[in-house]
Amino acid sequence: MTATLFITIAVFLAVLFILSLPLSRLLVQLIDGEPARSLMQMEKRLWRCSAVKPREMNKYQYGLAIIIFNLCGLVLLFTLLMTQAWLPLNPEHMPNMSWDLALNTAVSFVTNTNWQAYSGETTLSYFSQMVGLTVQNFLSAATGIAVVFAFIRAFSRHSSQTIGNAWVDLTRITLYILLPLALVLALFFVSQGVLQNVSPYIHLISLEGAQQVLPMGPVASQEAIKLLGTNGGGFFGANSSHPFENPTALSNMVQMLAIFLIPCALCMAFGRAVGDSRQGNALLWAMVLIFIVAVIVVIYAELNGPDFLTQLSLNGHSNMEGKESRFGIIASSLYAVVTTAASCGAVNAMHDSFTALGGMVPMWLMQIGEVVFGGVGSGLYGMLLFVLLTVFIAGQMIGRSPEYLGKKIEVYEIKMTALAILVTPTLVLLGTALAISTDAGRSGILNPGAHGFSEVLYAFSSAANNNGSAFAGLSVNTPFYNLMLALAMFLGRFGVILPVLAIAGSLAAKKHQPASNGTLPTHGPLFIGLLIGTILLVGALTFVPALALGPIAEHLQF
């Protein structure tokens, strides 16, 4: 079993790096604003038809464009969900959503969270799935990548007042990255047996003589971008454990690779864009080391479950509850770590059924900001925030002015970094405290004691960090949770994006400082260790007390 575990992790990472390398080259071209000549000719016609002048923007203009773009998407999606009963492609006559659920869902998909307080196959029409959710899967992913493009330019440019053009970045990312990759991946999923149609549901009689309904729908097209864009969610309530979404072991492995593909390529592209590949590799190494340890801990916890499993003669100590037998413990645990290390809520097993420690690790990966590969764009700019904090702490330790890639890190940058890092923990802890201290919050808790607390903590950790997965023992389709989680998702997304763009504008305007004997190298093992230590320290100081009341207390009870 140990050999199988390490071979699986090694093969997964090797294939991931091989696939990410060519993609990183294309990303660098888009960051530098130099796509292929044929694409530039097409763009000129596009800008001419849309009357857009692709001029460079400063940080305020870029941030305003991002906010306006996403608010428009929020309003349009909310309106669609409130009126879907009167729109076409609704063969099952799905009714309109309630206003609070529609608002929660609209915020969820606009913020790249894809939290679902409903079951897709019994709630949404094909039109809502395709025109509403799938479109936002593309646009929310493009938003995260556009923001990290602007952040990377801040390090590669010197004495510049601009950080790119938001409309150009959003267009190029969607047309040249997301659409082609999603098309190829969707065709692969269809070849594996994933559904792609607009047929009515099939009503039949099972072998036992019972009535059965087989849901249909355009699943493969949504599945592809949900994974590539680290959106998460699912066409079906069972998500990627459903055989119509994830039918084979090969499709399962490809889904995990798709989740990490763009975040990994962005790390490589970062190093190339700033002129030193070692910088991107250092970030990649920090992510990989945390990821490997997390996978090993979860698999160990699931293979060595509570003693009562042995007493019940249930597969020895191994905890197979909530897992698909066609994937098993290793593939299910690996998927759980991948989807929570990235800000992707796709799941192929029930996290609520993991052991206490096995479920704690995915929760903690979200709570540290999902910087272990993380979401498309958001993972890298989240990791770069920790880099700035690490450089600042190291500078204070040795009594030198902190700098990174030739840019001095001063008071303004550290204030914005602290603000961005503290936004999500504040939302998680305050939201959890409010939920367990009010009747409206406690009424949704179906499991008593430590596990019930874990379910609430997981929900707010998932929402504020824009993940979307859930401990499903919590009834969240209520006005209280729909509104509270919507607020956490919105502030967790844009409360980080705006400080990141503020830092980007400040750094881009600075002159390049040549390295000296006192400059801290930011690409070697020492810095990687300091970076990992900073991430662990922030995570420990912030969330260990809450985790002690939830999964740790539950583990000790067994």
Side-chain angles (χ1 to χ4, degrees):
M1 185 63 73
T2 302
T4 302
L5 167 61
F6 284 104
I7 290 173
T8 301
I9 296 174
V11 170
F12 174 76
L13 291 174
V15 175
L16 175 66
F17 295 152
I18 291 171
L19 294 175
S20 300
L21 190 59
L23 179 59
S24 68
R25 297 192 179 100
L26 176 57
L27 289 169
V28 171
Q29 292 180 0
L30 299 185
I31 293 169
D32 294 339
E34 299 176 355
R37 184 174 301 177
S38 59
L39 298 179
M40 290 290 288
Q41 294 298 322
M42 182 179 67
E43 276 189 15
K44 289 180 180 179
R45 298 187 185 94
L46 178 63
W47 305 137
R48 191 179 302 116
C49 294
S50 59
V52 172
K53 295 180 180 180
R55 296 172 180 170
E56 290 270 315
M57 296 178 171
N58 60 32
K59 61 183 180 182
Y60 302 107
Q61 295 167 329
Y62 203 102
L64 182 61
I66 291 293
I67 294 295
I68 291 175
F69 177 72
N70 283 275
L71 285 177
C72 289
L74 175 60
V75 172
L76 291 173
L77 182 55
F78 175 76
T79 304
L80 187 155
L81 296 174
M82 290 288 290
T83 59
Q84 71 169 358
W86 310 317
L87 297 174
L89 291 176
N90 189 6
E92 301 305 311
H93 307 290
M94 300 297 183
N96 299 328
M97 277 189 173
S98 63
W99 72 269
D100 57 302
L101 180 57
L103 178 62
N104 179 279
T105 305
V107 172
S108 174
F109 280 79
V110 167
T111 58
N112 200 242
T113 309
N114 293 40
W115 172 270
Q116 293 174 293
Y118 59 88
S119 183
E121 69 267 39
T122 60
T123 308
L124 293 175
S125 67
Y126 294 161
F127 191 86
S128 295
Q129 295 272 18
M130 293 189 293
V131 178
L133 306 191
T134 304
V135 169
Q136 280 304 319
N137 281 348
F138 279 97
L139 301 183
S140 64
T143 296
I145 300 174
V147 171
V148 85
F149 276 14
F151 205 16
I152 293 173
R153 292 185 188 116
F155 295 104
S156 61
R157 295 182 178 184
H158 313 300
S159 303
S160 173
Q161 298 301 317
T162 60
I163 53 176
N165 183 292
W167 307 116
V168 172
D169 287 341
L170 290 168
T171 301
R172 288 176 175 175
I173 291 163
T174 303
L175 292 181
Y176 307 155
I177 302 294
L178 298 177
L179 276 172
L181 289 176
L183 177 60
V184 173
L185 190 59
L187 291 174
F188 168 79
F189 285 148
V190 170
S191 74
Q192 293 296 296
V194 178
L195 295 180
Q196 183 66 25
N197 59 52
V198 289
S199 304
Y201 289 5
I202 298 175
H203 297 258
L204 48 81
I205 305 296
S206 68
L207 294 177
E208 292 80 10
Q211 293 282 343
Q212 186 174 3
V213 179
L214 294 181
M216 298 286 108
V219 181
S221 54
Q222 183 172 325
E223 190 75 8
I225 188 58
K226 117 180 178 182
L227 300 163
L228 285 167
T230 60
N231 295 280
F235 195 96
F236 303 111
N239 214 284
S240 287
S241 65
H242 199 296
F244 288 177
E245 277 197 36
N246 188 12
T248 67
L250 180 58
S251 69
N252 189 67
M253 178 60 75
V254 171
Q255 286 194 9
M256 292 187 286
L257 290 169
I259 293 171
F260 271 6
L261 177 62
I262 295 178
C264 181
L266 280 169
C267 289
M268 297 178 180
F270 169 72
R272 292 172 178 270
V274 299
D276 186 355
S277 296
R278 297 175 300 175
Q279 303 296 334
N281 293 338
L283 303 184
L284 206 52
W285 270 110
M287 294 176 180
V288 167
L289 291 175
I290 298 175
F291 170 73
I292 291 175
V293 172
V295 171
I296 292 173
V297 171
V298 173
I299 293 178
Y300 178 82
E302 297 307 303
L303 288 174
N304 297 274
D307 289 340
F308 69 77
L309 293 177
T310 302
Q311 297 168 7
L312 296 173
S313 299
L314 296 177
N315 201 29
H317 283 290
S318 298
N319 177 33
M320 273 296 294
E321 182 189 347
K323 301 177 181 66
E324 290 295 305
S325 58
R326 68 184 190 276
F327 300 140
I329 286 180
I330 290 181
S332 299
S333 300
L334 179 60
Y335 202 113
V337 174
V338 167
T339 196
T340 50
S343 66
C344 184
V347 295
N348 75 346
M350 182 56 64
H351 294 182
D352 197 39
S353 295
F354 279 30
T355 61
L357 297 183
M360 183 183 72
V361 172
M363 189 188 308
W364 179 78
L365 286 170
M366 294 187 296
Q367 290 168 346
I368 62 174
E370 291 178 313
V371 295
V372 183
F373 291 96
V376 286
S378 61
L380 180 54
Y381 66 64
M383 179 61 85
L384 287 172
L385 291 174
F386 277 107
V387 168
L388 298 182
L389 182 61
T390 303
V391 167
F392 176 76
I393 293 173
Q396 297 304 304
M397 291 172 63
I398 62 177
R400 295 186 181 273
S401 177
E403 60 182 60
Y404 183 61
L405 298 178
K407 301 294 182 78
K408 284 189 175 181
I409 310 303
E410 298 176 303
V411 174
Y412 179 78
E413 290 80 29
I414 291 302
K415 285 182 177 179
M416 291 296 102
T417 297
L419 175 61
I421 290 176
L422 291 175
V423 164
T424 52
T426 302
L427 293 170
V428 172
L429 297 177
L430 286 180
T432 302
L434 185 61
I436 63 174
S437 61
T438 59
D439 291 336
R442 290 194 299 270
S443 64
I445 301 175
L446 303 180
N447 292 301
H451 193 76
F453 178 83
S454 296
E455 290 170 346
V456 177
L457 181 62
Y458 193 103
F460 281 95
S461 300
S462 178
N465 290 282
N466 304 128
N467 183 274
S469 63
F471 270 18
L474 183 69
S475 296
V476 291
N477 190 10
T478 64
F480 174 84
Y481 279 109
N482 280 333
L483 296 180
M484 286 292 296
L485 293 174
L487 180 64
M489 289 185 282
F490 189 85
L491 295 179
R493 178 71 162 178
F494 299 106
V496 176
I497 282 178
L498 292 180
V500 165
L501 291 175
I503 297 171
S506 176
L507 291 176
K510 294 187 176 185
K511 296 180 180 179
H512 182 265
Q513 301 289 329
S516 65
N517 291 332
T519 301
L520 174 69
T522 55
H523 53 74
L526 175 61
F527 182 78
I528 294 172
L530 284 172
L531 178 58
I532 294 175
T534 301
I535 295 170
L536 297 180
L537 183 63
V538 171
L541 291 176
T542 307
F543 287 106
V544 161
L547 293 173
L549 296 174
I552 295 176
E554 183 183 357
H555 173 73
L556 294 177
Q557 288 173 353
F558 285 111

